[in-house]
Amino acid sequence: MLKNIKIQLEKLTKPKLNLTKDETLPGEIKAVIPPYDVNSHGDIVTFEGIPGYVELERYWVNEPFSFISIQFNKINDDYIYNVVEPVLTPFEATLLSDVYERSRDLLSYEDIIGGVNKKDILTRTVKEIIDKYIKNFDVRSFHKILYFMIRNNIGFGRIDSLLKDDRIEDISCSGPNIPIYLYHKTYENIKTNLVFEEEELNSFIFLLAQRSGKNISVAKPYLDATLSDGSRLQETLGREITTKGSSFTIRKFIETPITPIDLIKWGTFSIDMMAYMWLAIENNKSLILAGGTASGKTTSLNAISLFIPIKSKIVTLEDTRELKLYHENWVAGLTRDSFTAEGKGAVDMYELLRQGLRQRPEYLIVGEVRGKEALTLFQAMSTGHTTYSTMHAGSVQSAINRLENEPINVPRVMISALDILCVQGAIYMKGKRVRRVLNVIEILDIDPENKSLNTLEIFTWNPISDNHNLLRESQVMEAIKEKRGWSKKQLEIALDRRKKVLTYLVDKNIRDYDSVVNIIKDFQINQERLMKKLMIEESTE
């Protein structure tokens, strides 16, 4: 087969693919491939549109090989997220298959060599195989084959373009022969032109499991994992527990972490609320962020964790890796599945939490509480550990009810060790989904007469004005004032400084992670010096 392709392609009078060699590591030759030149060789990918639809938008996700075209049919009110990639000729498709088969053994060997870039290995391998059989090979065809080899071997196959699109939050495949659906930041729930057949989808489920470093099988036909790019994966295999067949959902990982300034700009928090969180976190007040699915709990937890003092020892515990901190003195714990059907070797959240407490953390962050580990977490709070976590609950009362009842079962007296409960929600405003902190309450104590929890609502969200209102004086701030030996004026200055720094960052639109981190670090080191450096005037009253 390859011989026939060789004979037919050698008849083509195309520009020769001239590649150079570059010594990079001892014993390693790196193939240097000239970038594909659209001006010289023409567009490698084209798209004329879908009949009956108009194109609303087009943007690259992997230029010049892959772009997205948003198609719209006004009559049916139908949107399609169309992934456009190079189209292979029959010759190129057959050659790609043969190159893949011939490269498998070499790639398996090369992948274990430490310090060698996989893309370089793949590029060199593709070049060597093609050079061996075909002379004067078409540059355009070579780059097509190289694109698909990289996409399928290093990337994520047919959904690789979706994972490269930073406008996508979620990717959902509900089964074979059903279009993949996305949650797009502009178009919200939208179907794609990608459809898996049943056998292909089953194979892809195994591939995703392999890429996450875990296993899925008929014996255990479900999996929660983290992909290599940090995205969160949930998948099921076959028709064992889903009647339609295999399925997967990917919650996209944001490579650049969200900062407190992003949350303020988006309206999730107000400046007053964020300054309140800043001072509370610096002074070891424990916090739980509650909310429904996709309400932004973990995103907010990640962002406000920037306020933890830079030298503090932090231990984080998660089922799947989502937290990303800039602190050096940070132990990142992760649960582990069992090695056997009997459950041997498993490390659950409860055991991970027990071990974490033995590490003497100053700040303990649990990705989500949902079971018996919550009791240990609240025991840690009661003994003076500063803890942060998230939980699923749509209101203050439902959060407290979940904590007190099965399967969490935290005694009410222990819940009083929690300082702040923050409820966050995904709200639709003017047809667009936004995330807002709905309530911030403080847990005060237990009423000695009726044994109920005394709480104090500090901030609430006004849906009419889309603003956060400060309702009353904070007891958490009062406790900080007494612990620090501050006067009321000193407490006001502490809050005012943080508000002004946050306002400066918002007004100057300083949102990139490194810049925000550096300013927060400088503030922790020397507040007065930073205020002068930023030329922020302080109140003289």
Side-chain angles (χ1 to χ4, degrees), residues 216-245:
I216 191 168
S217 64
V218 174
K220 185 186 175 185
Y222 58 89
L223 175 66
D224 287 305
T226 304
L227 297 176
S228 57
D229 70 339
S231 297
R232 186 169 180 174
L233 168 69
Q234 192 285 327
E235 62 178 9
T236 61
L237 175 64
R239 300 177 184 269
E240 305 298 324
I241 57 174
T242 50
T243 58
K244 289 183 179 180

PDB file of all heavy atoms in Angstrom, residues 216-245:
ATOM      1  N   ILE A 216     -10.094   2.731  33.432  1.00  0.00           N
ATOM      2  CA  ILE A 216     -11.532   2.541  33.426  1.00  0.00           C
ATOM      3  C   ILE A 216     -11.796   1.178  32.794  1.00  0.00           C
ATOM      4  O   ILE A 216     -11.068   0.761  31.882  1.00  0.00           O
ATOM      5  CB  ILE A 216     -12.250   3.672  32.655  1.00  0.00           C
ATOM      6  CG1 ILE A 216     -13.763   3.607  32.874  1.00  0.00           C
ATOM      7  CG2 ILE A 216     -11.912   3.656  31.174  1.00  0.00           C
ATOM      8  CD1 ILE A 216     -14.508   4.841  32.380  1.00  0.00           C
ATOM      9  N   SER A 217     -12.783   0.450  33.299  1.00  0.00           N
ATOM     10  CA  SER A 217     -13.029  -0.901  32.805  1.00  0.00           C
ATOM     11  C   SER A 217     -14.490  -1.261  33.038  1.00  0.00           C
ATOM     12  O   SER A 217     -15.240  -0.508  33.676  1.00  0.00           O
ATOM     13  CB  SER A 217     -12.131  -1.909  33.531  1.00  0.00           C
ATOM     14  OG  SER A 217     -12.458  -1.944  34.915  1.00  0.00           O
ATOM     15  N   VAL A 218     -14.897  -2.425  32.543  1.00  0.00           N
ATOM     16  CA  VAL A 218     -16.261  -2.892  32.765  1.00  0.00           C
ATOM     17  C   VAL A 218     -16.506  -3.099  34.255  1.00  0.00           C
ATOM     18  O   VAL A 218     -17.608  -2.860  34.761  1.00  0.00           O
ATOM     19  CB  VAL A 218     -16.515  -4.194  31.980  1.00  0.00           C
ATOM     20  CG1 VAL A 218     -17.882  -4.767  32.313  1.00  0.00           C
ATOM     21  CG2 VAL A 218     -16.389  -3.948  30.478  1.00  0.00           C
ATOM     22  N   ALA A 219     -15.466  -3.511  34.983  1.00  0.00           N
ATOM     23  CA  ALA A 219     -15.610  -3.718  36.425  1.00  0.00           C
ATOM     24  C   ALA A 219     -15.844  -2.396  37.160  1.00  0.00           C
ATOM     25  O   ALA A 219     -16.591  -2.328  38.134  1.00  0.00           O
ATOM     26  CB  ALA A 219     -14.361  -4.402  36.977  1.00  0.00           C
ATOM     27  N   LYS A 220     -15.202  -1.324  36.671  1.00  0.00           N
ATOM     28  CA  LYS A 220     -15.408   0.013  37.230  1.00  0.00           C
ATOM     29  C   LYS A 220     -15.622   0.969  36.062  1.00  0.00           C
ATOM     30  O   LYS A 220     -14.683   1.601  35.580  1.00  0.00           O
ATOM     31  CB  LYS A 220     -14.197   0.447  38.067  1.00  0.00           C
ATOM     32  CG  LYS A 220     -14.418   1.773  38.778  1.00  0.00           C
ATOM     33  CD  LYS A 220     -13.158   2.248  39.478  1.00  0.00           C
ATOM     34  CE  LYS A 220     -13.389   3.641  40.068  1.00  0.00           C
ATOM     35  NZ  LYS A 220     -12.154   4.206  40.657  1.00  0.00           N
ATOM     36  N   PRO A 221     -16.880   1.082  35.590  1.00  0.00           N
ATOM     37  CA  PRO A 221     -17.142   1.793  34.338  1.00  0.00           C
ATOM     38  C   PRO A 221     -17.319   3.306  34.486  1.00  0.00           C
ATOM     39  O   PRO A 221     -18.024   3.925  33.702  1.00  0.00           O
ATOM     40  CB  PRO A 221     -18.446   1.140  33.868  1.00  0.00           C
ATOM     41  CG  PRO A 221     -19.148   0.791  35.126  1.00  0.00           C
ATOM     42  CD  PRO A 221     -18.081   0.420  36.126  1.00  0.00           C
ATOM     43  N   TYR A 222     -16.714   3.902  35.477  1.00  0.00           N
ATOM     44  CA  TYR A 222     -16.796   5.348  35.656  1.00  0.00           C
ATOM     45  C   TYR A 222     -15.452   5.861  36.168  1.00  0.00           C
ATOM     46  O   TYR A 222     -14.664   5.117  36.758  1.00  0.00           O
ATOM     47  CB  TYR A 222     -17.908   5.720  36.648  1.00  0.00           C
ATOM     48  CG  TYR A 222     -17.730   5.093  38.007  1.00  0.00           C
ATOM     49  CD1 TYR A 222     -16.998   5.716  39.020  1.00  0.00           C
ATOM     50  CD2 TYR A 222     -18.288   3.844  38.290  1.00  0.00           C
ATOM     51  CE1 TYR A 222     -16.820   5.126  40.248  1.00  0.00           C
ATOM     52  CE2 TYR A 222     -18.112   3.241  39.529  1.00  0.00           C
ATOM     53  CZ  TYR A 222     -17.377   3.894  40.498  1.00  0.00           C
ATOM     54  OH  TYR A 222     -17.200   3.307  41.725  1.00  0.00           O
ATOM     55  N   LEU A 223     -15.197   7.137  35.934  1.00  0.00           N
ATOM     56  CA  LEU A 223     -13.901   7.686  36.305  1.00  0.00           C
ATOM     57  C   LEU A 223     -14.011   9.192  36.524  1.00  0.00           C
ATOM     58  O   LEU A 223     -14.634   9.906  35.738  1.00  0.00           O
ATOM     59  CB  LEU A 223     -12.880   7.414  35.184  1.00  0.00           C
ATOM     60  CG  LEU A 223     -11.481   8.023  35.358  1.00  0.00           C
ATOM     61  CD1 LEU A 223     -10.775   7.393  36.549  1.00  0.00           C
ATOM     62  CD2 LEU A 223     -10.657   7.823  34.089  1.00  0.00           C
ATOM     63  N   ASP A 224     -13.416   9.664  37.618  1.00  0.00           N
ATOM     64  CA  ASP A 224     -13.183  11.087  37.863  1.00  0.00           C
ATOM     65  C   ASP A 224     -11.684  11.281  37.861  1.00  0.00           C
ATOM     66  O   ASP A 224     -10.972  10.596  38.601  1.00  0.00           O
ATOM     67  CB  ASP A 224     -13.753  11.520  39.221  1.00  0.00           C
ATOM     68  CG  ASP A 224     -15.260  11.592  39.211  1.00  0.00           C
ATOM     69  OD1 ASP A 224     -15.808  12.301  38.352  1.00  0.00           O
ATOM     70  OD2 ASP A 224     -15.903  10.927  40.059  1.00  0.00           O
ATOM     71  N   ALA A 225     -11.191  12.208  37.053  1.00  0.00           N
ATOM     72  CA  ALA A 225      -9.744  12.366  36.928  1.00  0.00           C
ATOM     73  C   ALA A 225      -9.408  13.767  36.457  1.00  0.00           C
ATOM     74  O   ALA A 225     -10.286  14.581  36.168  1.00  0.00           O
ATOM     75  CB  ALA A 225      -9.190  11.324  35.954  1.00  0.00           C
ATOM     76  N   THR A 226      -8.122  14.020  36.383  1.00  0.00           N
ATOM     77  CA  THR A 226      -7.607  15.291  35.874  1.00  0.00           C
ATOM     78  C   THR A 226      -6.754  15.025  34.655  1.00  0.00           C
ATOM     79  O   THR A 226      -5.847  14.185  34.705  1.00  0.00           O
ATOM     80  CB  THR A 226      -6.772  16.015  36.947  1.00  0.00           C
ATOM     81  OG1 THR A 226      -7.567  16.185  38.124  1.00  0.00           O
ATOM     82  CG2 THR A 226      -6.313  17.373  36.452  1.00  0.00           C
ATOM     83  N   LEU A 227      -7.028  15.704  33.559  1.00  0.00           N
ATOM     84  CA  LEU A 227      -6.231  15.553  32.348  1.00  0.00           C
ATOM     85  C   LEU A 227      -4.901  16.268  32.493  1.00  0.00           C
ATOM     86  O   LEU A 227      -4.698  17.069  33.413  1.00  0.00           O
ATOM     87  CB  LEU A 227      -6.998  16.092  31.141  1.00  0.00           C
ATOM     88  CG  LEU A 227      -8.300  15.365  30.794  1.00  0.00           C
ATOM     89  CD1 LEU A 227      -9.006  16.065  29.646  1.00  0.00           C
ATOM     90  CD2 LEU A 227      -8.033  13.907  30.446  1.00  0.00           C
ATOM     91  N   SER A 228      -4.000  15.999  31.567  1.00  0.00           N
ATOM     92  CA  SER A 228      -2.651  16.547  31.654  1.00  0.00           C
ATOM     93  C   SER A 228      -2.619  18.068  31.604  1.00  0.00           C
ATOM     94  O   SER A 228      -1.698  18.693  32.117  1.00  0.00           O
ATOM     95  CB  SER A 228      -1.781  15.983  30.521  1.00  0.00           C
ATOM     96  OG  SER A 228      -2.376  16.265  29.262  1.00  0.00           O
ATOM     97  N   ASP A 229      -3.634  18.683  30.999  1.00  0.00           N
ATOM     98  CA  ASP A 229      -3.669  20.144  30.947  1.00  0.00           C
ATOM     99  C   ASP A 229      -4.361  20.750  32.164  1.00  0.00           C
ATOM    100  O   ASP A 229      -4.517  21.970  32.250  1.00  0.00           O
ATOM    101  CB  ASP A 229      -4.353  20.625  29.660  1.00  0.00           C
ATOM    102  CG  ASP A 229      -5.852  20.352  29.663  1.00  0.00           C
ATOM    103  OD1 ASP A 229      -6.291  19.461  30.430  1.00  0.00           O
ATOM    104  OD2 ASP A 229      -6.578  21.021  28.915  1.00  0.00           O
ATOM    105  N   GLY A 230      -4.792  19.894  33.104  1.00  0.00           N
ATOM    106  CA  GLY A 230      -5.440  20.375  34.311  1.00  0.00           C
ATOM    107  C   GLY A 230      -6.950  20.354  34.266  1.00  0.00           C
ATOM    108  O   GLY A 230      -7.614  20.613  35.277  1.00  0.00           O
ATOM    109  N   SER A 231      -7.538  20.043  33.106  1.00  0.00           N
ATOM    110  CA  SER A 231      -8.996  19.994  32.987  1.00  0.00           C
ATOM    111  C   SER A 231      -9.553  18.816  33.793  1.00  0.00           C
ATOM    112  O   SER A 231      -8.911  17.784  33.929  1.00  0.00           O
ATOM    113  CB  SER A 231      -9.417  19.852  31.527  1.00  0.00           C
ATOM    114  OG  SER A 231      -9.004  20.976  30.774  1.00  0.00           O
ATOM    115  N   ARG A 232     -10.785  18.991  34.287  1.00  0.00           N
ATOM    116  CA  ARG A 232     -11.410  17.963  35.123  1.00  0.00           C
ATOM    117  C   ARG A 232     -12.267  17.050  34.255  1.00  0.00           C
ATOM    118  O   ARG A 232     -13.113  17.518  33.492  1.00  0.00           O
ATOM    119  CB  ARG A 232     -12.264  18.623  36.206  1.00  0.00           C
ATOM    120  CG  ARG A 232     -12.846  17.643  37.209  1.00  0.00           C
ATOM    121  CD  ARG A 232     -13.450  18.378  38.390  1.00  0.00           C
ATOM    122  NE  ARG A 232     -14.007  17.450  39.358  1.00  0.00           N
ATOM    123  CZ  ARG A 232     -14.497  17.825  40.527  1.00  0.00           C
ATOM    124  NH1 ARG A 232     -14.493  19.097  40.863  1.00  0.00           N
ATOM    125  NH2 ARG A 232     -14.985  16.938  41.377  1.00  0.00           N
ATOM    126  N   LEU A 233     -12.051  15.750  34.366  1.00  0.00           N
ATOM    127  CA  LEU A 233     -12.718  14.758  33.527  1.00  0.00           C
ATOM    128  C   LEU A 233     -13.640  13.863  34.346  1.00  0.00           C
ATOM    129  O   LEU A 233     -13.265  13.391  35.416  1.00  0.00           O
ATOM    130  CB  LEU A 233     -11.663  13.885  32.826  1.00  0.00           C
ATOM    131  CG  LEU A 233     -12.160  12.614  32.123  1.00  0.00           C
ATOM    132  CD1 LEU A 233     -12.980  12.976  30.887  1.00  0.00           C
ATOM    133  CD2 LEU A 233     -10.990  11.710  31.770  1.00  0.00           C
ATOM    134  N   GLN A 234     -14.858  13.662  33.829  1.00  0.00           N
ATOM    135  CA  GLN A 234     -15.750  12.618  34.351  1.00  0.00           C
ATOM    136  C   GLN A 234     -16.229  11.819  33.151  1.00  0.00           C
ATOM    137  O   GLN A 234     -16.659  12.391  32.146  1.00  0.00           O
ATOM    138  CB  GLN A 234     -16.942  13.223  35.086  1.00  0.00           C
ATOM    139  CG  GLN A 234     -17.758  12.220  35.910  1.00  0.00           C
ATOM    140  CD  GLN A 234     -18.647  11.301  35.078  1.00  0.00           C
ATOM    141  OE1 GLN A 234     -19.163  11.690  34.039  1.00  0.00           O
ATOM    142  NE2 GLN A 234     -18.807  10.064  35.545  1.00  0.00           N
ATOM    143  N   GLU A 235     -16.122  10.493  33.221  1.00  0.00           N
ATOM    144  CA  GLU A 235     -16.522   9.684  32.074  1.00  0.00           C
ATOM    145  C   GLU A 235     -17.117   8.358  32.518  1.00  0.00           C
ATOM    146  O   GLU A 235     -16.862   7.880  33.625  1.00  0.00           O
ATOM    147  CB  GLU A 235     -15.347   9.458  31.126  1.00  0.00           C
ATOM    148  CG  GLU A 235     -14.191   8.700  31.718  1.00  0.00           C
ATOM    149  CD  GLU A 235     -13.071   8.460  30.697  1.00  0.00           C
ATOM    150  OE1 GLU A 235     -13.134   9.029  29.590  1.00  0.00           O
ATOM    151  OE2 GLU A 235     -12.140   7.703  31.012  1.00  0.00           O
ATOM    152  N   THR A 236     -17.937   7.778  31.625  1.00  0.00           N
ATOM    153  CA  THR A 236     -18.508   6.459  31.853  1.00  0.00           C
ATOM    154  C   THR A 236     -18.249   5.600  30.626  1.00  0.00           C
ATOM    155  O   THR A 236     -18.158   6.111  29.507  1.00  0.00           O
ATOM    156  CB  THR A 236     -20.026   6.537  32.095  1.00  0.00           C
ATOM    157  OG1 THR A 236     -20.658   7.096  30.933  1.00  0.00           O
ATOM    158  CG2 THR A 236     -20.342   7.397  33.306  1.00  0.00           C
ATOM    159  N   LEU A 237     -18.125   4.314  30.834  1.00  0.00           N
ATOM    160  CA  LEU A 237     -17.780   3.383  29.756  1.00  0.00           C
ATOM    161  C   LEU A 237     -18.971   2.508  29.395  1.00  0.00           C
ATOM    162  O   LEU A 237     -19.599   1.892  30.257  1.00  0.00           O
ATOM    163  CB  LEU A 237     -16.600   2.506  30.174  1.00  0.00           C
ATOM    164  CG  LEU A 237     -16.196   1.405  29.194  1.00  0.00           C
ATOM    165  CD1 LEU A 237     -15.686   1.998  27.871  1.00  0.00           C
ATOM    166  CD2 LEU A 237     -15.126   0.509  29.807  1.00  0.00           C
ATOM    167  N   GLY A 238     -19.247   2.426  28.080  1.00  0.00           N
ATOM    168  CA  GLY A 238     -20.252   1.501  27.576  1.00  0.00           C
ATOM    169  C   GLY A 238     -21.644   1.771  28.106  1.00  0.00           C
ATOM    170  O   GLY A 238     -22.001   2.898  28.450  1.00  0.00           O
ATOM    171  N   ARG A 239     -22.444   0.719  28.192  1.00  0.00           N
ATOM    172  CA  ARG A 239     -23.832   0.839  28.632  1.00  0.00           C
ATOM    173  C   ARG A 239     -24.033   0.221  30.020  1.00  0.00           C
ATOM    174  O   ARG A 239     -25.151  -0.187  30.362  1.00  0.00           O
ATOM    175  CB  ARG A 239     -24.757   0.179  27.601  1.00  0.00           C
ATOM    176  CG  ARG A 239     -24.650   0.818  26.221  1.00  0.00           C
ATOM    177  CD  ARG A 239     -25.513   0.114  25.186  1.00  0.00           C
ATOM    178  NE  ARG A 239     -25.320   0.701  23.862  1.00  0.00           N
ATOM    179  CZ  ARG A 239     -26.038   1.703  23.366  1.00  0.00           C
ATOM    180  NH1 ARG A 239     -27.000   2.231  24.093  1.00  0.00           N
ATOM    181  NH2 ARG A 239     -25.796   2.173  22.151  1.00  0.00           N
ATOM    182  N   GLU A 240     -22.944   0.144  30.784  1.00  0.00           N
ATOM    183  CA  GLU A 240     -23.037  -0.475  32.110  1.00  0.00           C
ATOM    184  C   GLU A 240     -23.870   0.374  33.062  1.00  0.00           C
ATOM    185  O   GLU A 240     -24.700  -0.142  33.807  1.00  0.00           O
ATOM    186  CB  GLU A 240     -21.631  -0.676  32.694  1.00  0.00           C
ATOM    187  CG  GLU A 240     -20.686  -1.474  31.808  1.00  0.00           C
ATOM    188  CD  GLU A 240     -21.178  -2.886  31.567  1.00  0.00           C
ATOM    189  OE1 GLU A 240     -21.754  -3.469  32.500  1.00  0.00           O
ATOM    190  OE2 GLU A 240     -20.993  -3.393  30.448  1.00  0.00           O
ATOM    191  N   ILE A 241     -23.633   1.689  33.056  1.00  0.00           N
ATOM    192  CA  ILE A 241     -24.371   2.568  33.975  1.00  0.00           C
ATOM    193  C   ILE A 241     -25.021   3.738  33.240  1.00  0.00           C
ATOM    194  O   ILE A 241     -25.656   4.582  33.874  1.00  0.00           O
ATOM    195  CB  ILE A 241     -23.461   3.101  35.106  1.00  0.00           C
ATOM    196  CG1 ILE A 241     -22.252   3.845  34.530  1.00  0.00           C
ATOM    197  CG2 ILE A 241     -23.018   1.982  36.019  1.00  0.00           C
ATOM    198  CD1 ILE A 241     -21.402   4.508  35.594  1.00  0.00           C
ATOM    199  N   THR A 242     -24.866   3.823  31.923  1.00  0.00           N
ATOM    200  CA  THR A 242     -25.564   4.822  31.116  1.00  0.00           C
ATOM    201  C   THR A 242     -26.211   4.111  29.932  1.00  0.00           C
ATOM    202  O   THR A 242     -25.530   3.425  29.167  1.00  0.00           O
ATOM    203  CB  THR A 242     -24.590   5.913  30.607  1.00  0.00           C
ATOM    204  OG1 THR A 242     -23.453   5.295  30.003  1.00  0.00           O
ATOM    205  CG2 THR A 242     -24.134   6.811  31.736  1.00  0.00           C
ATOM    206  N   THR A 243     -27.495   4.273  29.768  1.00  0.00           N
ATOM    207  CA  THR A 243     -28.226   3.490  28.772  1.00  0.00           C
ATOM    208  C   THR A 243     -27.883   3.880  27.335  1.00  0.00           C
ATOM    209  O   THR A 243     -28.001   3.060  26.425  1.00  0.00           O
ATOM    210  CB  THR A 243     -29.742   3.650  28.977  1.00  0.00           C
ATOM    211  OG1 THR A 243     -30.086   5.041  28.895  1.00  0.00           O
ATOM    212  CG2 THR A 243     -30.150   3.109  30.338  1.00  0.00           C
ATOM    213  N   LYS A 244     -27.447   5.118  27.117  1.00  0.00           N
ATOM    214  CA  LYS A 244     -27.130   5.550  25.754  1.00  0.00           C
ATOM    215  C   LYS A 244     -25.752   5.086  25.297  1.00  0.00           C
ATOM    216  O   LYS A 244     -25.454   5.099  24.110  1.00  0.00           O
ATOM    217  CB  LYS A 244     -27.197   7.075  25.656  1.00  0.00           C
ATOM    218  CG  LYS A 244     -28.604   7.642  25.745  1.00  0.00           C
ATOM    219  CD  LYS A 244     -28.559   9.156  25.556  1.00  0.00           C
ATOM    220  CE  LYS A 244     -29.961   9.755  25.604  1.00  0.00           C
ATOM    221  NZ  LYS A 244     -29.938  11.222  25.425  1.00  0.00           N
ATOM    222  N   GLY A 245     -24.904   4.722  26.212  1.00  0.00           N
ATOM    223  CA  GLY A 245     -23.540   4.345  25.869  1.00  0.00           C
ATOM    224  C   GLY A 245     -22.527   5.233  26.566  1.00  0.00           C
ATOM    225  O   GLY A 245     -22.873   6.018  27.464  1.00  0.00           O
TER     226      GLY A 245
END
